[in-house]
Amino acid sequence: MTVNGHEPTSPAPGSVEELRAIREQARSGPDPEATRRQHAKGKLTPHERIDLLLDKDSFTEVEALRRHRATGFGLEARRPYTDGVVTGWGTVHGRTVFVYAHDFRIFGGALGEAHAAKIHKIMDMAISAGAPLVSLNDGAGARIQEGVSALAGYGGIFQRNTRASGVIPQISVMLGPCAGGAAYSPALTDFVFMVRETSQMFITGPDVVQAVTGEQITQNGLGGADVHASVSGVAHFVYDDEQTCLEEVRYLLSLLPQNNRELPPRADTSDPADRPGDALLDLVPADGNRSYDVRGVIEQIADDGEHMEVQASWAPNLVCTLARLDGRVVGIVANQPAATAGVLDIRASEKGARFVQFCDSFNIPLVTLVDVPGFLPGVDQEHDGIIRRGAKLLYAYCNATVPRVSVVLRKAYGGAYIVMDSRSIGADVSLAWPTNEIAVMGAEGAANVVFRREIAAADDPEEMRRRKIEEYRKELVHPYFAAERGLVDDVIDPRDTRAVLARTLAMLTSKSASLPSRKHGNPPQ
């Protein structure tokens, strides 16, 4: 074949043209057919994903020309550039972010020695630079042909995930399969994003499960996005497509500091800090037995009503969400009366504990909205460890040194009230609405215990019970009992909640607190 009467020639060795050709080969992948197969599955290539994640033209790639040195099983004949992972850094909203992205077109994105070394390097750079790390996961686990070298590569990743924990934000984005030991790296990071239908996570796949237990199940049924969002709690955010998923990763990064030495970025807002929340008077029923959606309260408090809920489908009786209030990022923890009356149980306690620990690690103030009737009773809860697992939330709050403000909206009963960042465990400011009921238990239950004998001996037990309930409520459950004893700093008009929170958080911005000198605590497991 000739072009303009001339035979095509390869670029001269060492020339700029040769470098350009090699770089293009590294970016485009092993062959066009592999790219077409990736697109046919609704999946993007690594560079396409990185282009969506980072600001335009901000990506700097590291070790694009690296190739493996393994031999055997035909590997010596297959030495593609990048070795199946793209690494580098760029910016998101103008701030530095490090990223690595598996390339499923090369060895199925499987991890080998050179592949792992690239990831180790970019993780070390992220820790040294004090900037967030985002992993775009689309790989089939360890590269079997490289044996134990591949497994050791995962060990290096896990060690760095742990070393970076609480130092820089770590975000895992699942965009394909993630099997075996590879699933543990995302589990060690702060947040896991998943895409429906195309991403899965499991330790042992469906074939192994069937061989060992006889159970038949699909990949998505075993470890798909919705399973991990609602059943296991592994996934924090789930979306229908990669584009939306990566856009939400960008939004999350806009709420987070670069590292644990910085405050979250403050944003300009046109939403007045003293905007009254008139709707709050109708959102929360005074009747403690009536349900409502606490997210409506959060929307009235947050700037422009915007917030980013974490693990929305898992343990829905506790809402954990990131928002801005007068431009400042806050973490909001709220009981959800619309789900099992907002009780605390094992899952809600673990969900809240992890969220509180994250916020404390990265200097994000905590706002706790309390409407809790207690811990969920039941044999299963007790046998599954509600004592030790519920204590995780208590430990997380007691250990947190960031600004902490709690607001009792309605019910606050028993040990659950103490756990939900009460004044007694270190909340800086404790507020309450006039509808609050802070007590050991509800008036009905308390009257049955305290006045049991009088009720039983009465000529009309039901009438006596009614009178004693009213007596107990008047003496101990009225809205100002806790305020009179200094357990609540103020009882506020619900409409002023946003304004009071904004002023309080502004006052606490320079809060300084320290923990006793120790290597680390030993939280309940």
Side-chain angles (χ1 to χ4, degrees):
M1 177 182 176
T2 60
V3 178
N4 296 329
H6 300 282
E7 292 289 335
T9 58
S10 299
S15 68
V16 173
E17 288 76 14
E18 182 188 37
L19 173 62
R20 185 180 296 114
I22 290 174
R23 286 191 177 280
E24 178 55 34
Q25 182 183 347
R27 181 182 176 93
S28 61
D31 66 79
E33 184 56 35
T35 301
R36 281 193 292 270
R37 288 195 299 269
Q38 186 83 344
H39 288 163
K41 296 175 184 176
K43 297 163 65 176
L44 302 175
T45 65
H47 285 95
E48 289 170 341
R49 289 164 172 167
I50 290 170
D51 288 345
L52 287 173
L53 173 68
L54 301 179
D55 296 337
K56 184 177 176 59
D57 297 328
S58 69
F59 182 55
T60 298
E61 190 169 351
V62 175
E63 295 193 352
L65 308 185
R66 185 148 190 174
R67 300 195 290 182
H68 73 77
R69 296 174 291 180
T71 58
F73 306 101
L75 284 178
E76 62 274 10
R78 300 176 60 198
R79 300 181 63 234
Y81 292 113
T82 76
D83 200 45
V85 64
V86 177
T87 59
W89 74 86
T91 60
V92 173
H93 302 299
R95 299 189 301 156
T96 300
V97 172
F98 288 81
V99 61
Y100 68 85
H102 298 133
D103 191 342
F104 195 81
R105 301 170 301 171
I106 297 175
F107 300 122
L111 180 139
E113 186 178 22
H115 181 122
K118 291 181 63 175
I119 295 176
H120 296 168
K121 179 173 183 174
I122 210 66
M123 295 179 79
D124 289 339
M125 292 175 71
I127 295 169
S128 296
L133 174 71
V134 179
S135 63
L136 306 180
N137 297 272
D138 187 6
R143 195 174 299 170
I144 298 172
Q145 300 95 321
E146 295 196 31
V148 72
S149 297
L151 295 179
Y154 276 124
I157 293 173
F158 302 157
Q159 184 205 39
R160 287 166 174 82
N161 284 140
T162 304
R163 186 150 51 90
S165 181
V167 178
I168 57 172
Q170 298 180 83
I171 298 173
S172 296
V173 188
M174 316 310 297
L175 302 169
C178 185
Y184 281 115
S185 176
L188 290 169
T189 61
D190 298 306
F191 296 105
V192 175
F193 287 70
M194 293 189 75
V195 176
R196 290 185 176 91
E197 301 303 323
T198 58
S199 64
Q200 302 90 27
M201 297 174 67
F202 36 69
I203 300 300
T204 54
D207 293 341
V208 177
V209 169
Q210 183 176 357
V212 175
T213 70
E215 298 171 287
Q216 290 186 333
I217 193 167
T218 64
Q219 286 196 347
N220 280 319
L222 181 63
D226 288 318
V227 168
H228 285 309
S230 61
V231 180
S232 72
V234 170
H236 298 84
F237 305 98
V238 172
Y239 301 98
D240 290 328
D241 58 79
E242 294 190 15
Q243 290 84 351
T244 304
C245 181
L246 292 169
E247 183 59 37
E248 290 301 300
V249 175
R250 286 176 57 86
Y251 179 62
L252 175 60
L253 286 166
S254 75
L255 298 171
L256 305 181
Q258 290 291 90
N259 53 64
N260 64 348
R261 301 182 302 277
E262 298 182 6
L263 294 175
R266 188 173 181 185
D268 294 331
T269 178
S270 58
D271 193 355
D274 59 355
R275 166 176 53 81
D278 294 335
L280 291 173
L281 294 178
D282 299 320
L283 274 172
V284 180
D287 182 356
N289 294 319
R290 289 180 58 193
S291 176
Y292 66 94
D293 190 339
V294 77
R295 287 173 292 195
V297 177
I298 294 170
E299 289 166 6
Q300 287 295 312
I301 293 172
D303 289 353
D304 302 309
E306 294 182 356
H307 64 102
M308 189 173 192
E309 187 174 353
V310 179
Q311 293 177 302
S313 299
W314 190 68
N317 42 322
L318 191 75
V319 173
C320 298
T321 191
L322 292 166
R324 280 195 169 91
L325 207 167
D326 193 24
R328 292 184 175 89
V329 178
V330 295
I332 300 175
V333 181
N335 303 112
Q336 174 58 292
T340 58
V343 295
L344 285 178
D345 59 7
I346 287 171
R347 288 187 170 188
S349 298
E350 293 186 332
K351 172 181 176 178
R354 186 87 194 287
F355 183 74
V356 168
Q357 287 171 177
F358 173 81
C359 291
D360 187 48
S361 294
F362 292 104
N363 309 309
I364 299 173
L366 287 161
V367 173
T368 304
L369 305 180
V370 185
D371 191 348
V372 61
F375 281 94
L376 179 65
V379 174
D380 288 345
Q381 288 286 305
E382 296 293 346
H383 287 185
D384 288 341
I386 184 62
I387 295 173
R388 63 179 174 83
R389 295 163 78 176
K392 292 181 181 182
L393 181 56
L394 177 61
Y395 186 99
Y397 268 125
C398 290
N399 203 48
T401 60
V402 292
R404 293 156 51 189
V405 183
S406 65
V407 185
V408 180
L409 307 183
R410 202 170 57 171
K411 297 187 298 294
Y413 293 160
Y417 153 64
I418 300 298
V419 169
M420 288 297 294
D421 205 20
S422 63
R423 184 66 182 273
S424 61
I425 66 168
D428 296 295
V429 176
S430 181
L431 306 168
W433 286 4
T435 49
N436 83 82
E437 293 183 4
I438 303 175
V440 174
M441 62 177 67
E444 292 82 0
N448 289 336
V449 174
V450 176
F451 305 110
R452 180 179 66 255
R453 293 180 180 177
E454 293 177 59
I455 293 171
D459 294 334
D460 185 347
E462 286 304 316
E463 173 60 20
M464 179 62 73
R465 180 180 289 106
R466 186 193 64 76
R467 287 168 49 196
K468 291 302 182 182
I469 288 172
E470 190 59 32
E471 179 183 338
Y472 185 86
R473 181 177 284 118
K474 185 179 296 185
E475 287 295 321
L476 294 176
V477 190
H478 66 78
Y480 305 102
F481 184 85
E484 290 170 2
R485 284 151 182 80
L487 299 175
V488 167
D489 292 291
D490 198 8
V491 179
I492 63 172
D493 185 330
R495 293 170 293 188
D496 297 335
T497 304
R498 173 177 163 85
V500 173
L501 286 173
R503 290 198 301 270
T504 304
L505 291 170
M507 175 272 294
L508 290 168
T509 298
S510 58
K511 174 186 174 181
S512 177
S514 61
L515 294 171
S517 177
R518 59 186 176 186
K519 186 174 182 180
H520 56 72
N522 186 24
Q525 296 299 320

